[in-house]
Amino acid sequence: MKCKKCDSIGTLAIRKEYFFCDDCFLSYVNHKFRACIGKNTKIKPKDKALLCLSGGSSSIVLLDLVMNSVSLETHKKLRITPVLLHITGLKNDSLNQRNSQLLHDLSKKYNTVINEVNINDYKWKNTVDLNFCTKFLGLTHNPTAKLDYEAKIKQNLYYEVAKEMECNLIFTGETNTTLAQNLLSNIVMGRGSQVENDIGFCDGRNCNVKLLRPMRDLSVEELDHYKRIKKLDSVCDTNISVNSIQKVISNFVDELQTNSPATISTICKTADKLGTAAKDIKESQICSLCQSNLDVHNSKLTAIEAISFSKRISSGDISKAIKICSNELDNVESSNFLFPDYNITLCYCCSKTYSELNNTSV
Amino acid sequence: MPVLCKTGCGKNAVLKRPKTGDVLCKDCFFWAFETEIHYTIIKGNLFKSGDAVAVAASGGKDSTVLAHVLKTLNERYDYGLNLMLLSIDEGITGYRDDSLETVKRNRDDYEMSLKILSYKDLYGWTMDEIVEQIGRKNNCTFCGVFRRQALDRGAAMLNVKCIATGHNADDIAETVLMNILRGDIARLKRCTAISTGSEGTIPRVKPLKYTYEKEIVMYAHYKKLVYFSTECIFAPNAYRGHARALLKDLEKIRPSCIMDIIYSGETMAVKEDVSLPSQRTCSRCKFVSSQEVCKACVLLEGLNKGLPKLGIGKSSKAKRMLDEYHAKQQMSIDELNKEFQANNCIAKGKTCRSGGCKSNGLISNDCQGNKNKNEHLNEKANEMLTVYLLPDDECIVNGISPTDNDQENFEEIACEGSCGGGSISIAF
């Protein structure tokens, strides 16, 4: 088969349909990456960007794409100063070591240095109330909540480090495959109002630092070809526990994608169109774990009210329940009723995660 | 060892609630189950005192429990509602015929009136016949689109203020997931609303929105309600199956995810700069539509023209198919009309009952039958009949005997359906 760009012989096929030769493919991936940054116009010249690298394939490719763009001498040069960050302490020791080694080697190759931060040893300075931050990371009784919590803590650490290093941008390496999975996980865990920031190109919840996802138009399939052609190594970075919501969703998306190849792009396009239902959010309080707005709905009756009413009624609080129905009593303190550990500064989902992690007896 | 009911009533618990994980005795479960629906109705402002409400009844567990609970609550809390049952007969042998028997039992048990509308009467096609045309793929599209409109028609005939449907929490969570997977942003926006319907349409409400499917099954079981539990014989190939399978897997890990998904749906919104189809009325049938011509009309047209795939897939494809079809038909229409005039009008000597009819026996569709003798029908129904009544002439033309003068509106509309099967000059 012939390459769809030039007439030479194609060496690879994307989605079993589009053929490319190696050279055209590399410029195609690079173009997609640059187009994603360009069309979103969030970057100004002389910005300082923190590249968050796990050692997995997407972060390796992100590093390669950024370093190549930065070192260009043409007008296409990407005018940012990259700062490399690797967070350790989230995986087991042997994996940690392999990751570190790989990233050190790579940074040498690009003539730069990598900053390593161990999440367990980090002294939080800027974030308000995260004294509970790392005590849950070793727990295993609830993989769903743990993964959710880990992701939020990691993101907080990105912001901390970015502030420390005086970066005003953060680059993370989520591919569209990851983002499709994250979108569904978000929905399933009740984070529907946070989709825009969690999945979109730019996460603007932190007012000083913007978190960008420049890899969001690339798929895992494309990364694998890129890595193969460029002879890049990566450490396998899947450590998702089998018995978690995230794993079930990731398996589901993979399977559906195999049978109907438009699945992931459809999900991502849906994500681009979603915002939050809350109208006036300027006055709203902010969740101290995920930085989302706490007031996210306008209507009187939501699933939270319904489930807290259910809790109330099936634990014998009957007289109050009757009063609530006849509008004599407001169904307030609903979240406290749901989560004994509820903190007034956490959103619904973060309270839930926090409660489930705290409840080690289950 | 027996466990005590968590409410502290002193009785032994018989079940663990899927929704909250609490253990309850039978009576406390009944009370909790019913009061939660009451809470939903009150907080959601679903009904007004004095309203006539149609309960969309399929004979399945959801609608049976809905009818039972609404009747119970209506008496207990004095809602002042006039409840009635409304059923749609899709014409699926081995499924709907049996379930309708269950609905008839519900009618007797709950002492509510029952109205049954059938696809055959409304559209001229049973689902069995449609599946024969379209095959096992995409058939749920027809069934879903037709049922939606059939319920609207039924509600207009019954002159009710709203339709209560038995959608439960699982259904809604499943729909949210499905609409994300399909990228159906317009439906995603409205699928978690507890009450849907805009000006001029009859609203639909979902009193079971926050009720778990498993608890509905338990309630029906312990209350010994009679319901029909077979799954539709045509359903297994539907896309919804993917979302359903995913939800079942997720529920095993975290039962609360059903409510969480609904919460997600309630708290997210479509960005303002995204253009959405606006709701309007179909230029042909005057029912709710997002297009010039509603989906039901397109699908029906496709069936009647022998192009069952017409309403499936892209509209550009449909246009091309129609153009080809019209080119072919044009000549035969001319021939038919000529022949007809030559053969002495069959309708000759019979007065046109609908009065406003200008038809001279030729095949055309600009007739305006509007004599409605049944004054008890509301304006909406009148309006509908204006559109749906066809003059006798056309029925004869199409080889179907005209309806009897004394028959009910319902059957007169039915005439339209069957006539529609043969009318060929309806332009798109």
Side-chain angles (χ1 to χ4, degrees):
Chain A
M1 294 299 277
K2 278 186 177 171
C3 167
K4 79 177 218 180
K5 294 283 176 193
C6 63
D7 275 345
S8 57
I9 293 164
T11 51
L12 57 95
I14 295 296
R15 286 200 271 148
K16 298 178 192 160
E17 209 176 326
Y18 305 107
F19 291 85
F20 286 99
C21 67
D22 284 2
D23 287 345
C24 290
F25 179 74
L26 292 182
S27 60
Y28 160 80
V29 170
N30 191 51
H31 175 77
K32 261 185 145 178
F33 171 73
R34 295 303 301 272
C36 184
I37 292 178
K39 75 180 173 204
N40 286 294
T41 60
K42 298 281 184 200
I43 297 181
K44 292 187 292 294
K46 293 183 187 155
D47 275 350
K48 211 171 159 191
L50 187 70
L51 304 190
C52 303
L53 308 167
S54 67
S57 50
S58 63
S59 65
I60 298 296
V61 176
L62 171 69
L63 180 62
D64 192 67
L65 286 167
V66 170
M67 295 321 269
N68 287 339
S69 311
V70 169
S71 60
L72 283 176
E73 286 307 329
T74 63
H75 68 282
K76 281 194 172 173
K77 180 181 165 76
L78 184 62
R79 283 160 225 284
I80 56 165
T81 317
V83 178
L84 280 51
L85 170 71
H86 175 53
I87 292 180
T88 59
L90 289 167
K91 289 164 193 155
N92 64 44
D93 286 345
S94 69
L95 202 61
N96 259 333
Q97 215 163 10
R98 276 169 59 206
N99 268 323
S100 297
Q101 192 56 47
L102 177 82
L103 288 165
H104 272 291
D105 292 350
L106 274 176
S107 51
K108 240 178 244 165
K109 184 179 139 194
Y110 298 115
N111 280 325
T112 174
V113 282
I114 184 144
N115 303 282
E116 261 188 21
V117 172
N118 189 314
I119 196 162
N120 298 305
D121 304 337
Y122 189 78
K123 300 276 175 292
W124 300 82
K125 287 173 212 142
N126 303 317
T127 322
V128 202
D129 180 27
L130 279 172
N131 45 14
F132 50 78
C133 62
T134 47
K135 73 173 184 188
F136 293 138
L137 292 175
L139 300 175
T140 51
H141 69 282
N142 190 328
T144 304
K146 189 200 154 182
L147 281 169
D148 185 49
Y149 189 72
E150 193 180 290
K152 299 299 166 208
I153 284 291
K154 237 164 94 180
Q155 190 152 340
N156 275 305
L157 189 55
Y158 292 162
Y159 284 120
E160 286 268 317
V161 176
K163 203 163 182 191
E164 214 164 90
M165 306 228 173
E166 293 168 341
C167 296
N168 57 343
L169 294 176
I170 297 173
F171 280 11
T172 58
E174 290 106 326
T175 56
N176 65 2
T177 318
T178 325
L179 289 174
Q181 291 163 0
N182 289 356
L183 170 68
L184 286 175
S185 305
N186 256 21
I187 299 286
V188 171
M189 316 230 299
R191 296 188 184 276
S193 59
Q194 304 164 11
V195 162
E196 188 177 3
N197 285 317
D198 276 340
I199 319 294
F201 175 76
C202 175
D203 182 340
R205 278 177 292 205
N206 187 307
C207 40
N208 302 316
V209 184
K210 284 193 202 109
L211 188 145
L212 306 182
R213 303 185 178 89
M215 304 285 279
R216 68 191 308 268
D217 292 339
L218 297 168
S219 69
V220 169
E221 190 190 10
E222 287 162 341
L223 292 192
D224 288 344
H225 286 301
Y226 189 91
K227 267 169 41 193
R228 182 178 51 77
I229 296 168
K230 285 246 175 172
K231 299 197 174 56
L232 297 169
D233 267 337
S234 69
V235 177
C236 173
D237 56 353
T238 48
N239 63 340
I240 303 183
S241 159
V242 186
N243 203 19
S244 67
I245 280 188
Q246 291 88 340
K247 185 66 187 172
V248 168
I249 286 173
S250 120
N251 288 344
F252 174 81
V253 171
D254 286 347
E255 205 183 300
L256 204 59
Q257 174 73 10
T258 333
N259 299 324
S260 37
T263 303
I264 285 177
S265 65
T266 310
I267 297 176
C268 288
K269 273 182 193 146
T270 313
D272 288 344
K273 294 174 190 160
L274 295 177
T276 167
K279 293 264 159 56
D280 187 23
I281 47 176
K282 277 176 194 145
E283 301 288 305
S284 173
Q285 256 193 306
I286 281 172
C287 170
S288 60
L289 185 54
C290 71
Q291 275 86 47
S292 302
N293 290 306
L294 292 184
D295 300 331
V296 285
H297 52 81
N298 298 317
S299 70
K300 218 165 39 165
L301 179 68
T302 66
I304 291 187
E305 272 79 53
I307 199 148
S308 95
F309 186 80
S310 295
K311 271 273 180 204
R312 197 185 284 277
I313 209 167
S314 51
S315 51
D317 200 351
I318 289 168
S319 58
K320 258 193 186 164
I322 292 174
K323 277 186 184 158
I324 290 167
C325 280
S326 57
N327 278 327
E328 282 171 43
L329 200 71
D330 206 23
N331 190 20
V332 284
E333 327 139 25
S334 51
S335 316
N336 273 327
F337 210 89
L338 278 179
F339 311 114
D341 303 312
Y342 179 74
N343 178 330
I344 201 71
T345 58
L346 290 180
C347 69
Y348 167 71
C349 332
C350 288
S351 320
K352 185 168 190 157
T353 295
Y354 187 70
S355 290
E356 286 189 0
L357 285 173
N358 232 359
N359 188 4
T360 38
S361 58
V362 181
Chain B
M1 203 191 97
V3 186
L4 284 179
C5 172
K6 199 175 172 195
T7 59
C9 67
K11 279 181 246 172
N12 284 339
V14 295
L15 58 89
K16 188 178 175 192
R17 291 193 71 183
K19 192 173 178 181
T20 60
D22 298 320
V23 287
L24 294 182
C25 71
K26 218 197 260 184
D27 289 330
C28 288
F29 171 66
F30 288 156
W31 198 80
F33 184 90
E34 289 157 3
T35 311
E36 280 169 31
I37 297 171
H38 172 60
Y39 174 76
T40 311
I41 290 172
I42 295 297
K43 292 287 167 186
N45 272 330
L46 300 192
F47 307 121
K48 277 195 202 75
S49 181
D51 278 359
V53 176
V55 180
S58 65
K61 57 180 178 358
D62 299 319
S63 56
T64 303
V65 167
L66 178 65
H68 179 270
V69 172
L70 280 184
K71 183 182 161 67
T72 310
L73 294 177
N74 193 23
E75 286 161 8
R76 185 184 299 162
Y77 297 103
D78 209 10
Y79 290 165
L81 300 179
N82 176 17
L83 297 166
M84 46 192 103
L85 298 169
L86 173 61
S87 285
I88 307 299
D89 180 3
E90 294 94 343
I92 303 173
T93 317
Y95 172 64
R96 188 54 85 214
D97 40 1
D98 295 341
S99 72
L100 281 174
E101 291 307 310
T102 320
V103 180
K104 283 173 191 159
R105 256 199 82 172
N106 290 343
R107 169 193 63 192
D108 301 337
D109 291 350
Y110 307 145
E111 295 163 334
M112 294 181 195
S113 64
L114 166 67
K115 177 100 187 158
I116 302 177
L117 296 184
S118 76
Y119 279 11
K120 184 75 184 170
D121 294 338
L122 291 175
Y123 304 107
W125 293 79
T126 64
M127 269 313 286
D128 286 344
E129 289 162 358
I130 292 173
V131 172
E132 219 168 85
Q133 295 286 318
I134 187 83
R136 285 297 180 103
K137 241 183 152 184
N138 296 325
N139 56 59
C140 289
T141 306
F142 283 85
C143 197
V145 169
F146 284 163
R147 183 168 42 245
R148 190 179 166 82
Q149 199 190 66
L151 279 175
D152 277 341
R153 294 187 186 208
M157 284 179 201
L158 291 171
N159 195 12
V160 293
K161 278 277 170 351
C162 73
I163 309 172
T165 59
H167 292 103
N168 57 43
D170 299 49
D171 292 336
I172 294 167
E174 206 174 281
T175 312
V176 171
L177 291 178
M178 184 177 78
N179 286 333
I180 288 172
L181 294 175
R182 295 176 55 203
D184 194 334
I185 206 85
R187 284 202 181 81
L188 185 60
K189 188 183 166 192
R190 59 175 185 253
C191 69
T192 48
I194 193 158
S195 164
T196 51
S198 56
E199 215 181 310
T201 62
I202 297 169
R204 283 143 193 263
V205 297
K206 303 171 190 144
L208 302 184
K209 183 183 172 188
Y210 298 117
T211 310
Y212 273 41
E213 183 174 23
K214 283 188 177 138
E215 297 198 352
I216 291 176
V217 176
M218 284 180 182
Y219 184 85
H221 172 76
Y222 285 120
K223 281 270 180 186
K224 297 192 173 60
L225 301 181
V226 181
Y227 70 87
F228 182 77
S229 61
T230 312
E231 194 169 337
C232 173
I233 49 170
F234 297 135
N237 293 320
Y239 191 83
R240 183 172 278 276
H242 294 297
R244 179 168 296 178
L246 174 62
L247 189 68
K248 290 275 175 283
D249 289 344
L250 294 171
E251 196 192 346
K252 272 180 217 147
I253 294 174
R254 202 185 222 189
S256 68
C257 75
I258 292 173
M259 291 301 255
D260 292 346
I261 294 172
I262 298 178
Y263 182 67
S264 282
E266 286 168 341
T267 51
M268 70 189 176
V270 179
K271 282 183 191 162
E272 277 169 11
D273 52 355
V274 177
S275 65
L276 286 170
S278 56
Q279 205 175 58
R280 46 181 164 165
T281 51
C282 168
S283 63
R284 292 185 69 196
C285 68
K286 306 287 180 246
F287 279 99
V288 188
S289 170
S290 58
Q291 306 287 325
E292 173 69 24
V293 178
C294 76
K295 198 74 173 171
C297 286
V298 176
L299 290 174
L300 190 60
E301 190 74 10
L303 285 172
N304 292 337
K305 285 185 170 166
L307 307 166
K309 291 239 190 285
L310 190 67
I312 313 283
K314 286 183 181 156
S315 56
S316 57
K317 260 187 203 165
K319 239 174 211 158
R320 207 182 323 134
M321 280 165 86
L322 267 179
D323 287 344
E324 283 168 20
Y325 180 86
H326 282 308
K328 270 190 207 162
Q329 288 295 307
Q330 198 48 52
M331 274 172 61
S332 49
I333 290 173
D334 292 344
E335 262 172 44
L336 214 72
N337 278 336
K338 250 185 228 163
E339 201 180 313
F340 185 78
Q341 275 174 323
N343 286 350
N344 282 337
C345 178
I346 308 171
K348 217 174 172 184
K350 195 163 184 225
T351 45
C352 178
R353 181 160 44 96
S354 45
C357 175
K358 294 186 194 97
S359 168
N360 58 359
L362 287 182
I363 302 170
S364 74
N365 72 331
D366 54 359
C367 305
Q368 297 279 319
N370 60 359
K371 242 225 180 108
N372 177 23
K373 289 164 215 145
N374 298 282
E375 280 155 10
H376 66 273
L377 281 178
N378 67 354
E379 238 185 290
K380 191 157 190 98
N382 285 333
E383 207 174 276
M384 202 175 68
L385 288 170
T386 320
V387 182
Y388 276 93
L389 266 183
L390 289 187
D392 293 344
D393 311 41
E394 198 167 342
C395 298
I396 298 164
V397 169
N398 292 301
I400 293 153
S401 60
T403 49
D404 218 293
N405 274 337
D406 296 322
Q407 272 177 315
E408 295 287 321
N409 289 293
F410 179 35
E411 276 129 306
E412 288 186 75
I413 288 171
C415 166
E416 185 272 337
S418 16
C419 293
S423 68
I424 44 176
S425 65
I426 295 173
F428 251 122

